[in-house]
Amino acid sequence: MTTVNIISLNKTYPNQPVPVLKDFSLSINDGEMIALLGPSGSGKSTLLKLITGIERPDSGDIQFDGSSILSIDPNKRGAVLMFQQSYLFPFLNVEDNIGFGLKVQGASAETIRGEVKRMLNLIGLPGIERRKSGQLSGGEQQRVALARALVTNPKLLLLDEPLSSLDTSVRMNLQEAIRNIQRELGVTTIFVTHDLGEAMAMSDRMALLLNGEIVALDKPENLFHRPRSLTAAKFMGVSTFLSGDQLTVKNEACSSSEKIFAIRPEHIRIQKEACKNSMLGVVSDCVFRGEYIEYQVDVNDVTVRARMPMPAPMFPHGEQVRVNFPQEHLFEVN
Amino acid sequence: MTTVNIISLNKTYPNQPVPVLKDFSLSINDGEMIALLGPSGSGKSTLLKLITGIERPDSGDIQFDGSSILSIDPNKRGAVLMFQQSYLFPFLNVEDNIGFGLKVQGASAETIRGEVKRMLNLIGLPGIERRKSGQLSGGEQQRVALARALVTNPKLLLLDEPLSSLDTSVRMNLQEAIRNIQRELGVTTIFVTHDLGEAMAMSDRMALLLNGEIVALDKPENLFHRPRSLTAAKFMGVSTFLSGDQLTVKNEACSSSEKIFAIRPEHIRIQKEACKNSMLGVVSDCVFRGEYIEYQVDVNDVTVRARMPMPAPMFPHGEQVRVNFPQEHLFEVN
Amino acid sequence: MKRITAYSLRAVLYFILIAPLLLFAAYAFSTRWFFPQPFPVEWTTITFLRAINDSRTLSSMAQGIWIAILVSVLSLMLALPAARVQGLREFRGRQLAWLLLFLPTIIPPLAIGMGLNILFLRIGLAGTIAGVVLAHIIPTLPYTIFTLSSAFARFDENYEFQALALGASPWQIFLKVTLRMMTPSLVVATLFAFLISWSQYLLTLLIGGGQIITLPILLFSAASGGNPSTIATLSLLFVAPPVMVIAFTARSLSQHDNEIREQY
Amino acid sequence: MKRITAYSLRAVLYFILIAPLLLFAAYAFSTRWFFPQPFPVEWTTITFLRAINDSRTLSSMAQGIWIAILVSVLSLMLALPAARVQGLREFRGRQLAWLLLFLPTIIPPLAIGMGLNILFLRIGLAGTIAGVVLAHIIPTLPYTIFTLSSAFARFDENYEFQALALGASPWQIFLKVTLRMMTPSLVVATLFAFLISWSQYLLTLLIGGGQIITLPILLFSAASGGNPSTIATLSLLFVAPPVMVIAFTARSLSQHDNEIREQY
């Protein structure tokens, strides 16, 4: 339905020394779901504000299907928002909440009723038209908020951490629901989150944001298994880096000339026997986390975190072990 | 320092038909950390209120080291609380917040200063005495709240979902910090949560609560790998149950006479080849979650969720596959 | 124990509030009541009926209500944008703004009235309803702005952004979202404005200059006359419209009660 | 655009609020000022100095301040428990409680005053400072309760539970936690109480019966005399203590501003 082009956006808030977005460019394909992953302050929410028109960029352009939307009034852009809170209007019931967008755009009562019904079926909550938002659970409220956003047939759906106030199980359910609905309707979507698992589960492509810039943009699988840069690798949960020649462990790259190798925590093996690519260390912590055990092993003053899937060998605190970095799981980063 | 005995507690709130706690008994060893895991409304928070004395039980007893505390004033019980929010007093700086308990108990200014310093070192935030709570991050606030609770040398530490408002990475850090501090000081602790992973990572024993009753109480490893009952298994993330004789899949037990077997999602295998204990199904969903792929496979109208560790074979939506339940991972529940 | 303390406290409070009312009723419907009789001896409705059949009484009530309604509407219209700025925005001089806001409550009505009278005589507003309404707005505005700005301080603008993204125009957002979200506070602010205007004596007297007669003015002249029954009757009439307004407010608030709780 | 609108709105508001004050100053420090002169022609400080050297002026100010302080303290003590119940608890009849709470603001001071006068004459409180203070509490209480209960509605009792679990006694909790958390609202409530008592004319006149003289009473009798300079001078004196109280309030609030923001 819509391709979105964000071209060289710059935005600095008054009274702030550092720009929030720096020469920010991103192209989103028709019907694609892009996840923006980054810590708070990385510019994620500002980008959404610029797209909806709540804020204006200092320079740059935003285009829907090739034509700029910057001169269009915020309420005519067709970019709808969904926040962490549902922001359902407390004085309206579910039907009137979902129908709000159609009503202000002048649709007939019949059309609205039909569309609301269709949306309620789509979000899997048929028959709740008469309820007030206070009578809904947190997950149901977010489903209704999604329906309210999608009923206007928007060009672009913006999701600003829509699940981060929900319990884990509800969250998992809604991840599936949102992903399925988004694919069914084929609506182009930007999904902002600071949760890596969520970003990977939901998106076609992920953009990693830091200080207003994209540090990596790729499919989740590629970013997860073979991040190209040190920054991207850290984003993806990698905490162990080795300088290539001597195979010494380090948490940070110190010189730019040497080769740096990285390894995911679940690929590191803790064992008693020495083998190729293994180093001596002392177990400093060991936490049972269900499907795996997380070991912290001190190797040359650096703490290596390893995840051993169950059933795993148990090493007590203080035990001398070998930390093994299997060759096939080491990858180079720069 | 303190063993805690909770004996046959009953509590029903006025105007509510159902009791919040039903004949609730629990013994906690000296220095032990017990996790109470249960959905909202299961009576977790009520139990904490009864222990601190904010509410009174209808019947039953609570004993510290063998003597009842029910007749002791709430402010003399020595049971301190930590909530989801830090509830640091906004008008006091960090030092006065941590020293609050000592001050109202009449300690000298010198003692307080020394103890505050000791606690700040313990929580890993030395030197922040003069800061106000508004200048601290969420994680730091919770660390200070922990210090404020522990500085009075309490008999029992009560943690009421202290981490659920924090981001994942801060949360992981604080899980380790709280666990280490608790073990170092050896303070008997009750940890209330609705997050399974957190309960497993933190506790010596876990109590699963449902409707004011304990449905299971054991070490996390035992509960995770071999829950004894159907209810406990569901708590621990098991969603696939099989009736033993015919090996047919089901989500619910239907008759009480037949044997029910359960299997964890990460032990189910999805494959093309038929083998022993395998059934025919159709892939209905497939989500990439980093370390594993989550498949949903429809088998005889029942959805089986399986987690395949990476690298995993990829099966597209709609593909006919074999769902394999390895014999060694099936366990009986009742 | 706590509960009993709370209940008895409330009982005392209610007694303090209701006692004067009962005393008026006793005076209004009795003929002779002298010290040290604990209760009136003879009861009558003659004074009451005479007072409410007096055309001056009714016209003064009508005028007072009309003025109070105009004052409520105008001060809400003035207070809304000011309260929004006070409640939602951070700006330097915010403390100064609060200070100035409360000036009219401390300048005595007498002083305001005389100052305004001089001003209004020059611009021809003295002795007109418009003049009285404008004068009433001065003591009214602080309370309406205060009430609305504390509501705006809790108002979440994201509700408006939602409506904007869904295609609502600024005017639709104001009518269908902002006003609806603010309804409980608007009702309370209206109540304040109505009550302050309705019970205003000095400003009405000074600006009205004897041409604008409201119930408080009748009440004051009756007080000089000194017939307790007439005074008590007028007092009861005086209380009637406010009681109705408060009853309406209480109903609106209880209707909106659930919404408020959901909202905050 | 939005910003300009907000600024000009505030400018208009400030003008409305300050204009009467300037007018007083002009009258107080000038001798002759007649229509159509746009500004006073002769300036003088004689009237002003005469007025502030008058012992009646100073003693009336002292008495007024003393009464306002007593009223503030008493109405806070009465309002705190009532506001806590109104703000924190859910109970049936809550709407009725609000309605009754606002009764004193709608019964005209005149009516209250005369009712109370009869009562106080019987129990010997008429003409005493105690009687005037008690009378002033009636119009004061609604505003203090209203202010404090809206603060209690946002107050989180878990702060108190924390202090309790840390070993604080109920009295320590009240002093070291509850009062400290409520400070901004306590300051505002005190401001309301002080201002309402300080500017009270009718209740003081009726209950004081000529024995209790406060500045508003002097001001009113001066108004009958009709010397604009004297009136304006007394008006300026009248405004002085409230301005100081408001300035103090504004300072306290800005000190607590960060805390408030952290708290809510």
Side-chain angles (χ1 to χ4, degrees):
Chain A
M1 333 234 272
T2 314
T3 61
V4 176
N5 283 297
I6 297 165
I7 304 160
S8 300
L9 277 191
N10 281 291
K11 175 72 185 175
T12 310
Y13 284 112
N15 309 324
Q16 285 193 359
V18 194
V20 194
L21 290 178
K22 272 179 282 192
D23 198 28
F24 187 99
S25 295
L26 179 63
S27 289
I28 308 168
N29 302 325
D30 184 11
E32 191 181 25
M33 172 154 339
I34 286 257
L36 296 184
L37 183 72
S40 52
S42 58
K44 304 181 306 252
S45 295
T46 300
L47 181 66
L48 298 198
K49 283 183 186 166
L50 295 180
I51 295 174
T52 51
I54 295 169
E55 299 278 351
R56 292 190 65 79
D58 299 334
S59 65
D61 199 6
I62 302 170
Q63 299 175 344
F64 287 1
D65 289 328
S67 54
S68 171
I69 58 156
L70 286 184
S71 55
I72 301 177
D73 282 343
N75 58 333
K76 307 282 187 210
R77 292 189 180 181
V80 293
L81 266 175
M82 192 176 147
F83 293 110
Q84 180 173 351
Q85 277 181 266
S86 69
Y87 290 111
L88 294 180
F89 302 120
F91 44 83
L92 297 179
N93 62 23
V94 167
E95 176 166 26
D96 294 338
N97 260 295
I98 297 180
F100 184 90
L102 294 175
K103 198 171 177 192
V104 295
Q105 289 170 19
S108 73
E110 266 166 280
T111 316
I112 294 174
R113 212 167 19 246
E115 285 295 295
V116 168
K117 197 159 190 145
R118 192 174 66 88
M119 292 312 299
L120 283 176
N121 284 328
L122 192 65
I123 60 169
L125 293 170
I128 62 160
E129 281 92 340
R130 297 275 157 267
R131 297 228 210 126
K132 290 267 188 168
S133 63
Q135 297 168 293
L136 304 175
S137 72
E140 288 169 338
Q141 285 186 27
Q142 287 299 63
R143 281 173 192 258
V144 172
L146 181 68
R148 180 175 65 170
L150 290 175
V151 77
T152 55
N153 202 13
K155 289 180 180 157
L156 178 62
L157 174 64
L158 303 168
L159 304 172
D160 192 356
E161 314 219 4
L163 306 176
S164 39
S165 65
L166 302 172
D167 283 358
T168 317
S169 61
V170 182
R171 201 168 165 154
M172 293 287 185
N173 268 329
L174 257 168
Q175 282 175 9
E176 287 171 18
I178 292 179
R179 213 169 38 91
N180 291 336
I181 291 169
Q182 186 265 339
R183 289 196 185 154
E184 192 173 330
L185 299 182
V187 58
T188 312
T189 304
I190 298 179
F191 184 93
V192 158
T193 182
H194 61 257
D195 186 297
L196 175 62
E198 199 163 278
M200 289 192 297
M202 306 271 297
S203 63
D204 297 312
R205 284 191 297 158
M206 275 167 70
L208 308 184
L209 253 73
L210 204 63
N211 302 325
E213 289 175 304
I214 294 180
V215 296
L217 172 67
D218 206 337
K219 290 189 179 176
E221 301 89 300
N222 299 348
L223 279 178
F224 188 81
H225 293 297
R226 290 294 178 264
R228 302 251 183 88
S229 69
L230 194 87
T231 321
K234 283 186 184 166
F235 252 103
M236 304 307 291
V238 177
S239 60
T240 310
F241 300 96
L242 307 125
S243 69
D245 302 329
Q246 316 97 307
L247 196 71
T248 52
V249 180
K250 46 177 58 186
N251 280 346
E252 293 287 337
C254 31
S255 107
S256 55
S257 64
E258 61 184 351
K259 280 188 172 183
I260 303 289
F261 289 93
I263 183 167
R264 296 204 54 82
E266 64 267 26
H267 295 143
I268 301 171
R269 289 286 150 269
I270 311 293
Q271 58 201 43
K272 289 303 283 183
E273 319 79 45
C275 67
K276 199 186 163 226
N277 278 359
S278 78
M279 301 170 78
L280 207 62
V282 176
V283 173
S284 70
D285 203 0
C286 158
V287 182
F288 175 72
R289 292 195 181 272
E291 293 162 47
Y292 58 88
I293 286 184
E294 185 174 285
Y295 278 104
Q296 287 180 32
V297 183
D298 291 334
V299 181
N300 304 340
D301 295 337
V302 172
T303 301
V304 172
R305 283 167 189 264
R307 296 182 161 189
M308 302 276 282
M310 296 295 291
M314 297 297 282
F315 302 109
H317 189 274
E319 178 103 340
Q320 271 221 348
V321 290
R322 292 276 168 176
V323 183
N324 174 23
F325 307 102
Q327 185 80 54
E328 69 272 26
H329 290 304
L330 286 170
F331 54 92
E332 196 181 338
V333 292
N334 48 41
Chain B
M1 334 238 272
T2 315
T3 61
V4 176
N5 283 297
I6 296 164
I7 304 160
S8 299
L9 278 191
N10 281 291
K11 177 71 185 175
T12 310
Y13 284 113
N15 310 326
Q16 285 192 359
V18 193
V20 194
L21 290 177
K22 272 180 282 191
D23 199 30
F24 186 98
S25 295
L26 178 64
S27 290
I28 308 167
N29 303 325
D30 183 10
E32 190 180 27
M33 173 151 346
I34 286 259
L36 296 185
L37 183 72
S40 53
S42 57
K44 304 179 309 249
S45 295
T46 300
L47 181 66
L48 298 198
K49 284 184 185 166
L50 295 178
I51 295 173
T52 50
I54 296 169
E55 298 278 351
R56 290 191 65 80
D58 300 334
S59 65
D61 199 6
I62 302 169
Q63 300 175 346
F64 286 2
D65 289 328
S67 55
S68 171
I69 58 155
L70 286 185
S71 55
I72 300 176
D73 281 343
N75 58 333
K76 306 283 187 209
R77 292 189 180 182
V80 294
L81 267 175
M82 192 177 148
F83 293 110
Q84 178 173 352
Q85 277 181 264
S86 69
Y87 289 111
L88 295 180
F89 303 121
F91 44 85
L92 298 179
N93 62 23
V94 167
E95 176 165 27
D96 294 338
N97 260 296
I98 298 179
F100 184 90
L102 294 174
K103 195 170 180 196
V104 296
Q105 289 170 22
S108 73
E110 268 166 279
T111 317
I112 294 176
R113 212 166 21 245
E115 285 295 294
V116 168
K117 198 161 190 145
R118 192 174 65 86
M119 292 311 300
L120 283 177
N121 285 327
L122 192 66
I123 60 170
L125 293 171
I128 63 160
E129 281 92 340
R130 297 276 158 264
R131 297 229 210 125
K132 290 267 187 166
S133 61
Q135 297 168 290
L136 305 175
S137 71
E140 288 169 338
Q141 285 187 26
Q142 287 301 63
R143 279 172 194 259
V144 172
L146 181 68
R148 180 176 66 171
L150 290 174
V151 77
T152 55
N153 202 11
K155 292 181 178 154
L156 178 61
L157 174 63
L158 303 168
L159 305 172
D160 193 356
E161 314 220 5
L163 307 177
S164 37
S165 63
L166 302 173
D167 282 359
T168 317
S169 60
V170 182
R171 201 168 165 153
M172 292 286 184
N173 268 330
L174 257 167
Q175 282 176 10
E176 287 171 18
I178 291 180
R179 210 168 42 91
N180 291 337
I181 291 170
Q182 186 265 340
R183 288 195 187 154
E184 191 172 331
L185 299 181
V187 57
T188 313
T189 304
I190 299 179
F191 184 94
V192 159
T193 182
H194 61 255
D195 184 301
L196 175 61
E198 198 163 280
M200 289 193 298
M202 307 272 296
S203 64
D204 297 311
R205 283 190 298 157
M206 275 167 69
L208 308 183
L209 254 72
L210 203 64
N211 301 325
E213 290 175 303
I214 292 180
V215 296
L217 172 65
D218 206 338
K219 290 188 179 176
E221 302 89 301
N222 299 347
L223 280 180
F224 188 82
H225 293 297
R226 291 293 178 265
R228 302 252 183 88
S229 70
L230 193 86
T231 321
K234 283 185 183 165
F235 253 101
M236 304 307 290
V238 177
S239 59
T240 308
F241 301 95
L242 307 124
S243 69
D245 302 329
Q246 315 98 307
L247 197 71
T248 51
V249 181
K250 45 178 57 186
N251 281 347
E252 294 286 339
C254 35
S255 109
S256 55
S257 64
E258 60 186 353
K259 281 188 171 182
I260 303 289
F261 289 94
I263 183 166
R264 295 203 56 80
E266 62 268 28
H267 295 143
I268 301 172
R269 290 285 151 270
I270 310 293
Q271 56 199 43
K272 290 303 283 180
E273 320 78 46
C275 66
K276 201 186 161 226
N277 278 359
S278 78
M279 300 171 76
L280 207 62
V282 176
V283 173
S284 69
D285 203 2
C286 160
V287 182
F288 175 71
R289 291 193 181 274
E291 292 163 48
Y292 57 88
I293 286 185
E294 185 174 284
Y295 278 103
Q296 289 181 30
V297 183
D298 291 335
V299 181
N300 305 340
D301 294 339
V302 171
T303 300
V304 171
R305 280 166 191 267
R307 295 182 163 190
M308 301 277 281
M310 295 295 292
M314 298 297 282
F315 302 108
H317 189 274
E319 178 103 339
Q320 270 222 349
V321 291
R322 292 277 166 176
V323 183
N324 174 21
F325 306 101
Q327 186 80 52
E328 67 272 25
H329 290 303
L330 285 170
F331 54 92
E332 198 180 335
V333 294
N334 48 43
Chain C
M1 251 317 286
K2 247 183 166 176
R3 177 170 279 186
I4 292 168
T5 319
Y7 275 114
S8 43
L9 256 166
R10 264 196 287 153
V12 169
L13 197 69
Y14 292 171
F15 177 77
I16 292 174
L17 299 176
I18 293 177
L21 263 191
L22 295 179
L23 211 61
F24 291 144
Y27 269 98
F29 294 104
S30 67
T31 41
R32 272 175 292 249
W33 184 18
F34 300 111
F35 191 78
Q37 297 160 353
F39 296 105
V41 199
E42 287 175 48
W43 296 93
T44 172
T45 56
I46 292 174
T47 333
F48 187 78
L49 289 175
R50 199 195 308 135
I52 65 164
N53 283 328
D54 188 339
S55 69
R56 278 205 316 161
T57 317
L58 295 180
S59 79
S60 72
M61 285 184 75
Q63 203 151 38
I65 290 174
W66 176 230
I67 290 171
I69 290 173
L70 285 178
V71 168
S72 309
V73 171
L74 276 174
S75 71
L76 278 191
M77 281 169 58
L78 286 169
L80 259 177
R84 182 166 187 128
V85 173
Q86 284 285 70
L88 278 180
R89 307 275 169 257
E90 303 283 325
F91 58 91
R92 268 184 302 165
R94 189 192 173 106
Q95 297 301 334
L96 184 74
W98 275 121
L99 194 148
L100 288 174
L101 192 56
F102 276 103
L103 268 185
T105 61
I106 56 173
I107 305 173
L110 191 66
I112 296 178
M114 285 183 308
L116 276 185
N117 199 23
I118 298 163
L119 196 71
F120 282 7
L121 274 174
R122 294 192 176 202
I123 58 177
L125 279 173
T128 66
I129 286 198
V132 171
V133 167
L134 286 180
H136 282 194
I137 285 177
I138 292 176
T140 310
L141 213 46
Y143 294 100
T144 47
I145 294 184
F146 186 76
T147 308
L148 293 181
S149 69
S150 69
F152 269 118
R154 289 172 298 170
F155 180 69
D156 193 332
E157 285 182 293
N158 279 327
Y159 284 103
E160 295 179 342
F161 295 150
Q162 276 292 351
L164 187 72
L166 292 169
S169 67
W171 189 238
Q172 281 174 322
I173 294 171
F174 179 70
L175 289 180
K176 285 172 185 271
V177 179
T178 318
L179 280 191
R180 285 296 298 272
M181 296 290 284
M182 299 285 293
T183 303
S185 302
L186 284 172
V187 169
V188 171
T190 313
L191 173 73
F192 273 123
F194 187 93
L195 295 180
I196 290 168
S197 168
W198 173 254
S199 60
Q200 200 50 252
Y201 164 69
L202 275 175
L203 282 179
T204 316
L205 182 71
L206 287 167
I207 306 296
Q211 274 136 6
I212 310 293
I213 308 289
T214 60
L215 207 50
I217 288 175
L218 280 191
L219 199 53
F220 201 88
S221 67
S224 324
N227 178 343
S229 294
T230 312
I231 299 169
T233 303
L234 288 177
S235 298
L236 281 182
L237 286 181
F238 184 91
V239 174
V243 162
M244 286 189 296
V245 170
I246 293 191
F248 164 76
T249 308
R251 269 198 59 196
S252 300
L253 286 182
S254 77
Q255 273 175 5
H256 282 273
D257 224 19
N258 293 324
E259 294 173 11
I260 303 169
R261 256 183 245 134
E262 286 159 28
Q263 188 176 339
Y264 305 120
Chain D
M1 254 315 288
K2 249 183 164 178
R3 177 170 279 186
I4 292 170
T5 319
Y7 276 113
S8 43
L9 256 167
R10 265 197 287 154
V12 169
L13 199 67
Y14 292 170
F15 177 77
I16 293 175
L17 300 176
I18 293 179
L21 264 189
L22 295 178
L23 212 59
F24 292 143
Y27 267 98
F29 294 104
S30 67
T31 41
R32 272 177 291 251
W33 184 20
F34 300 113
F35 190 79
Q37 297 160 352
F39 297 104
V41 197
E42 290 175 45
W43 296 90
T44 173
T45 57
I46 294 174
T47 333
F48 186 77
L49 288 175
R50 198 197 308 136
I52 65 164
N53 284 326
D54 186 341
S55 70
R56 278 205 317 161
T57 315
L58 294 179
S59 78
S60 71
M61 284 184 77
Q63 203 153 39
I65 290 175
W66 176 231
I67 289 172
I69 290 172
L70 285 177
V71 168
S72 307
V73 171
L74 276 175
S75 71
L76 277 191
M77 282 169 57
L78 285 169
L80 259 177
R84 182 167 187 126
V85 173
Q86 283 286 68
L88 278 180
R89 305 276 168 256
E90 302 282 324
F91 58 90
R92 267 183 304 164
R94 188 191 173 108
Q95 297 303 335
L96 185 72
W98 276 121
L99 194 149
L100 287 174
L101 192 56
F102 277 103
L103 267 185
T105 62
I106 55 170
I107 305 174
L110 193 66
I112 297 178
M114 285 183 307
L116 276 183
N117 200 22
I118 299 164
L119 194 72
F120 282 8
L121 274 174
R122 296 196 173 198
I123 58 178
L125 280 174
T128 67
I129 286 198
V132 171
V133 167
L134 285 180
H136 281 193
I137 286 177
I138 292 176
T140 311
L141 213 47
Y143 293 100
T144 47
I145 296 183
F146 185 75
T147 306
L148 293 181
S149 68
S150 69
F152 269 119
R154 288 172 299 171
F155 180 70
D156 194 331
E157 283 182 295
N158 279 328
Y159 284 104
E160 295 179 342
F161 295 151
Q162 276 292 352
L164 187 73
L166 292 169
S169 67
W171 189 238
Q172 282 174 320
I173 294 171
F174 178 70
L175 289 180
K176 285 171 185 271
V177 179
T178 318
L179 280 192
R180 286 297 298 272
M181 296 289 285
M182 300 284 294
T183 303
S185 303
L186 284 171
V187 170
V188 171
T190 312
L191 172 74
F192 273 124
F194 188 92
L195 293 180
I196 291 168
S197 168
W198 172 257
S199 61
Q200 201 49 250
Y201 164 69
L202 274 175
L203 282 179
T204 316
L205 182 72
L206 287 167
I207 306 295
Q211 274 136 8
I212 309 294
I213 307 288
T214 59
L215 207 51
I217 289 175
L218 281 192
L219 200 53
F220 202 88
S221 68
S224 325
N227 178 344
S229 292
T230 314
I231 299 171
T233 304
L234 288 177
S235 298
L236 280 182
L237 287 180
F238 183 92
V239 174
V243 162
M244 287 189 296
V245 171
I246 292 191
F248 165 77
T249 308
R251 270 199 59 195
S252 302
L253 285 183
S254 76
Q255 273 174 8
H256 282 272
D257 222 20
N258 295 324
E259 295 173 10
I260 303 169
R261 256 183 243 133
E262 286 160 26
Q263 188 177 338
Y264 305 120

